[in-house]
């Protein structure tokens, strides 16, 4: 299972997309503190899927990422997902400052099928260090997040980690796809079948105006 290839997508987000994601994250920080999580002093997460804010306010971008991930799974990863109805489980905005890291070499995204990891900062300019890598039986493999807007797609059961950030702030967008219902929870939902009491899709404070 750890041998499934990692797909690379160059320039999947344009500068205006990155700015729109940053603006949404900043608004949710102010209006929905329950959607914010501190993973240690140097690493914070904002759940952009809270109230389905990401899906409702940036629907074109959300659709583009999901379709790109499905194409990458078939074309670069050798996964046949025909007939598999994948939906958004969570959308996360991660800020990782100097000293932050995901050190657990056996970390994986349990319960999801595909994970999309999009670079929102400029490596080498906005931050140093912080490489995404994939431990495996054949050794660790670094991911191709060379520029702002680049993305990788990987099977969610693959082990992955992040090297320590040495300076600046590393920012990424994470989208997990699963076979459960699309969620609007202010967390990474664990309920793939039963309704989740935290799924606040109708919250106007979370979702804001629907875009067409």
């Amino acid at each position: 299972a750890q041998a499934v290839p990692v797909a690379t997508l160059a320039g999947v987000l344009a500068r205006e997309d990155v700015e729109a994601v940053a603006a949404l994250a900043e608004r949710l920080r102010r209006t929905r503190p329950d959607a914010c999580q501190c993973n240690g002093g140097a690493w914070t997460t904002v759940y952009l899927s809270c109230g389905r804010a990401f899906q409702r306010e940036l629907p074109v971008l959300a659709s583009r990422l999901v379709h790109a991930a499905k194409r990458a799974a078939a074309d670069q990863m050798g996964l046949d997902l025909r007939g598999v109805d994948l939906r958004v489980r969570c959308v996360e905005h991660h800020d990782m400052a100097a000293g932050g890291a995901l050190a657990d070499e056996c970390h994986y995204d349990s319960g999801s099928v595909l994970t999309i990891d999009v670079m929102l900062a400029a490596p080498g300019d906005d931050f140093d260090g912080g490489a995404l890598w994939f431990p495996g039986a054949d050794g660790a493999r670094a991911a191709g997040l060379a520029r702002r807007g680049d993305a990788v797609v990987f099977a969610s059961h693959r082990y992955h980690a992040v090297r320590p950030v040495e300076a600046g702030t590393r920012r990424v967008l994470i989208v997990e796809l699963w076979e459960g219902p699309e969620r609007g929870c202010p967390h990474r939902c664990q309920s793939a079948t039963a309704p989740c009491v935290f799924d606040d899709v109708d919250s106007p404070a979370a979702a804001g105006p629907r875009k067409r």
Side-chain angles (χ1 to χ4, degrees):
Q2 298 303 313
V4 176
V6 176
T8 58
L9 303 172
V12 70
L13 261 61
R15 177 176 292 275
E16 56 268 26
D17 298 323
V18 172
E19 292 172 351
V21 170
L24 177 58
E26 180 57 32
R27 181 170 62 77
L28 288 176
R29 283 191 191 95
R30 297 193 312 268
T31 62
R32 288 300 300 263
D34 59 325
C36 304
Q37 174 179 307
C38 182
N39 310 295
W43 177 12
T44 59
T45 302
V46 180
Y47 288 91
L48 305 187
S49 44
C50 174
R52 291 176 176 77
F54 184 80
Q55 300 96 305
R56 296 174 70 167
E57 297 192 36
L58 302 173
V60 174
L61 176 54
S63 178
R64 187 196 315 159
L65 289 175
V66 171
H67 283 91
K70 291 179 178 178
R71 287 197 306 270
D75 297 343
Q76 298 186 48
M77 299 164 64
L79 298 179
D80 185 358
L81 298 177
R82 288 174 296 180
V84 180
D85 190 5
L86 296 181
R87 303 181 184 91
V88 173
R89 177 185 192 175
C90 57
V91 183
E92 307 166 0
H93 183 281
H94 292 267
D95 280 8
M96 189 177 285
L102 175 54
D104 181 3
E105 297 184 8
C106 293
H107 172 83
Y108 65 102
D109 300 330
S110 175
S112 293
V113 177
L114 294 176
T115 299
I116 310 164
D117 192 327
V118 189
M119 179 56 65
L120 301 178
D125 292 328
D126 296 331
F127 71 97
D128 294 317
L132 173 66
W133 62 290
F134 295 86
D138 55 351
R141 298 178 179 274
L145 293 173
R147 295 171 298 181
R148 180 191 288 116
D150 287 355
V152 296
V153 180
F154 54 93
S156 300
H157 59 257
R158 277 214 62 163
Y159 298 148
H160 54 282
V162 178
R163 302 286 193 190
V165 175
E166 299 168 4
T169 300
R170 177 186 190 270
R171 293 186 172 89
V172 295
L173 175 71
I174 305 294
V175 181
E176 290 185 34
L177 306 179
W178 69 349
E179 295 182 78
E182 182 179 277
R183 290 301 193 196
C185 316
H187 60 208
R188 184 176 181 272
C189 192
Q190 300 299 315
S191 181
T193 54
C196 178
V197 298
F198 299 103
D199 192 349
D200 58 352
V201 62
D202 295 321
S203 169
R210 184 186 294 272
K211 299 291 189 292
R212 296 187 183 275

